[in-house]
Amino acid sequence: MPIFTPSNVPITSLIEDIDMGKIGLPELQRPFVWPNVNVRDLFDSLYRGYPAGFLLFWKTGADSSLKNIGTGIKQAAPELAIVDGQQRLTSLYAVVKGAEVLRSNFKKEKIEIAFNPLSERFDVADAAIRKDRAFIPNISVLWDSSFKPREFREAFIAQLGETRELSSEDKGQIEDAINRLRDLTGYSFTALTLNASVDEQTIAEVFVRINGKGKALNQADFIMTLMSVFWDEGRAELESFALKAAVPSDGQSSPFNHFIKPSPDQMLRATVGLALKRARLENVYSALRGRDPATGLDNPERRDGQFALMREAQGVVLNLANWHHFLDSLKLAGYRGQKMVSSETTIIYCYVLYLIGIRDYSIDRSTIRQAVAEFYFMAAMTGRYTNSPETRFDSDLSMIRDLKSSDEFVGKLRELCNTTLTNDYWEITLPSQLATSAARSPSLFAYQAALIKLDAPVLFSPMAISELVDPAVKGAKAALEQHHLFPRGYLEEQGVGDFKLINQIANFAPVEWPDNIRIGKQAPADYVPALDAKLTGDARERVYKLHALPSGWWEMPYNDFLVARRLKMAAVVREAWEALTSGTKPTAARPASIAELIAGGETGAVEFKSTLRVNLHTGQQDEKIHLSALKTIAGFLNAKGGTLLIGVTDDGGVIGLSADAFPNEDKMGLHLVNLIRERIGDVFLPYVHPHFEDQEGERLLSIRCESGPRPAFVKDGNQQRFYVRGGNATTELMGNSVQEYVRQRFT
């Protein structure tokens, strides 16, 4: 059964439908990206009777009797949205109507196409063509409402006759060509109209296929289209905010800043997050369309209610006082500009949290700025919203959605920070993340922010780093440069040619550019002692501590230096975190110790297992033991999280890990990670936190699980099993029970 209806529509009807608002031609759905030569070629093809492709429309489901929201001349909410062919339709409308188009840089301009009636040649108008009397410099005049065909032809022929002799055949050719060009508006395009019942996933698939696997439509495209149909002013507000944020202001209030030049899509995400408390745009689209989940039909009242929430929220999102006060939280965390931002998504999501705090919980602005500064520091450093950002933020939103008070809200933000930035993170994970040469590493930016937060001086300089990183200052050379502590030329002379090893984060330190030039490729043992001798004892201790330099580092083997410095860099970042959070420790109860967990016995959030892989009755490795641990982990992920203790019997007896017979703890930890990756999925690894603990003279493996971002299934042979935690037991669900649980827990 076809999901579309074909028809032939003349250009005049298309333009009339756009003018009357029947066809929505949203500027933000896909900005006009065609160069003018493409427009020229389109008119040349139409003139010569060549095929010019088809147009793909989608019925929006809008009632044609509804008033269109906005102040334009359109008479009705659009019944049709253009899915494919927008560049052609925009070209035709812009030239025939003499209208401006919005370019991808948000600047408006008119498209001027010239035409030579004698040679029947189209061209893009330029200065030379405008002076050439053989050309009509802008064919838009032919469809102007005041156009008079006979007078125009006579005037054109008279002007051309002043520069060359025209025969009667030439004059006839000119008249015929002009008439033929004017009649192009009678050209009929083949239009395919997708039914209103077609869902957005199908439309996106159709779009990709007919475009040869080109640019795919995303969920933001569909939401922007809906806004163009039902709330065009809201779409225009997003566009205007994005445009102004990209250009320095001339003294007027403006969203311009040095951290982010947000796109309309990004500000849309902020509006959606605040209005609907959702991050997954695929769910938001159905909600905004007012689709009834039971009938699958669009409900206008439901749709109007959702857009009312969006309108109210967007006013808060685009409020300049809110925007700039929020951005101050990034400065409070030590960040100073776009060069220190590895994820713009993190900024947008933190803005949502800030706005929820001030709007929904009436939190004092200074308090929420402090809390969001802490959360941004954590999220930016750990790359919290780097992989599957929508899923992760949806999970975070679900944790705050039902909180009752401002204290609970701030407490939850700080709880998320503290459960992420554990002792293992500072001492193991962060040093490992610093073992990279990536120039835009989140861990590098966190270290740089830490130096600013701690008011560190530039290495071998009395200037503070914060004084030299003003993003508004643009000089011929950067005031601050990243210097190779072991210079590249020196390392190459020592046989180190791998750029990834030479450019390790731990081999860089901020210096002023004259010092960087002066040092050149000298060996550290040659250039450091003289600089070191100029420092006093107290200054040396502070400089070396903040710049994470081991004592006598210039004499260390290069690889040993890198390892030692990464540990010290992580310690500096931790010190900055403690300075940022000083006096703002979470009021929530501290996490229970291992002894307290054992004393409390098995609960809905705690389970004991004697071993990870060995059956104590047989003394052999047993797949059933693996499955027992995995189903508990999955059960916690599918519920509200919890802790699994390995090395503890059901009755709370501590027996340790020796029965599993792993060569060492690293091997045991790797075995667990591989089990989770292969049997549950690597997407869940960031939500499972294993670490080893001492208890009663034995070593235990504690596996703390967060609430998972999506349903976690355990692979058991050829089957996928679904477990949930309830009471102090882990239960397997099957059939419809799984679907119902997933719908309630994850939707």
Side-chain angles (χ1 to χ4, degrees), residues 371-558:
V372 170
E374 297 167 17
F375 192 88
Y376 178 80
F377 190 98
M378 177 276 293
M381 174 172 61
T382 61
R384 188 176 187 87
Y385 302 121
T386 300
N387 298 314
S388 303
E390 287 188 355
T391 299
R392 186 73 192 209
F393 193 51
D394 240 3
S395 176
D396 289 345
L397 287 174
S398 70
M399 297 183 199
I400 64 174
R401 194 172 288 133
D402 299 322
L403 298 179
K404 304 300 182 184
S405 70
S406 59
D407 288 344
E408 288 183 6
F409 179 78
V410 173
K412 177 57 70 173
L413 293 185
R414 289 180 172 146
E415 178 187 319
L416 290 172
C417 291
N418 283 277
T419 56
T420 301
L421 303 182
T422 62
N423 194 61
D424 282 352
Y425 176 82
W426 294 117
E427 296 183 358
I428 300 173
T429 305
L430 183 55
S432 298
Q433 291 173 341
L434 288 165
T436 178
S437 61
R440 298 194 57 78
S441 165
S443 55
L444 170 61
F445 294 152
Y447 175 65
Q448 293 172 344
L451 292 177
I452 293 172
K453 185 67 183 175
L454 297 172
D455 198 28
V458 177
L459 186 60
F460 306 128
S461 168
M463 297 289 290
I465 292 174
S466 59
E467 296 172 339
L468 298 180
V469 292
D470 185 349
V473 176
K474 305 291 183 182
K477 290 186 69 67
L480 199 64
E481 293 188 345
Q482 292 297 319
H483 159 67
H484 286 86
L485 292 167
F486 282 67
R488 172 181 166 181
Y490 164 75
L491 289 173
E492 289 176 335
E493 289 176 353
Q494 302 302 308
V496 180
D498 185 348
F499 285 171
K500 288 185 177 180
L501 185 59
I502 293 172
N503 292 329
Q504 283 288 297
I505 285 175
N507 192 30
F508 284 104
V511 300
E512 294 189 70
W513 66 264
D515 290 333
N516 199 22
I517 293 175
R518 191 180 306 115
I519 291 169
K521 63 176 184 178
Q522 297 180 68
D526 293 336
Y527 79 81
V528 173
L531 295 171
D532 178 76
K534 295 179 181 180
L535 299 172
T536 65
D538 290 342
R540 180 183 296 108
E541 181 179 356
R542 182 168 186 265
V543 167
Y544 280 19
K545 177 183 178 182
L546 292 175
H547 287 281
L549 297 171
S551 178
W553 63 270
W554 54 88
E555 296 178 344
M556 295 176 68
Y558 181 55

Side-chain angles (χ1 to χ4, degrees), residues 618-632:
T618 65
Q620 302 296 316
Q621 294 183 28
D622 190 335
E623 179 54 34
K624 292 180 180 178
I625 305 300
H626 274 157
L627 180 61
S628 179
L630 288 171
K631 74 177 187 180
T632 299

Side-chain angles (χ1 to χ4, degrees), residues 296-322:
L297 300 177
D298 293 347
N299 184 319
E301 291 184 2
R302 185 191 295 263
R303 180 186 63 223
D304 292 345
Q306 296 296 316
F307 270 104
L309 294 175
M310 291 280 287
R311 279 193 292 274
E312 191 278 332
Q314 188 158 293
V316 179
V317 168
L318 303 186
N319 180 289
L320 293 181
N322 293 340

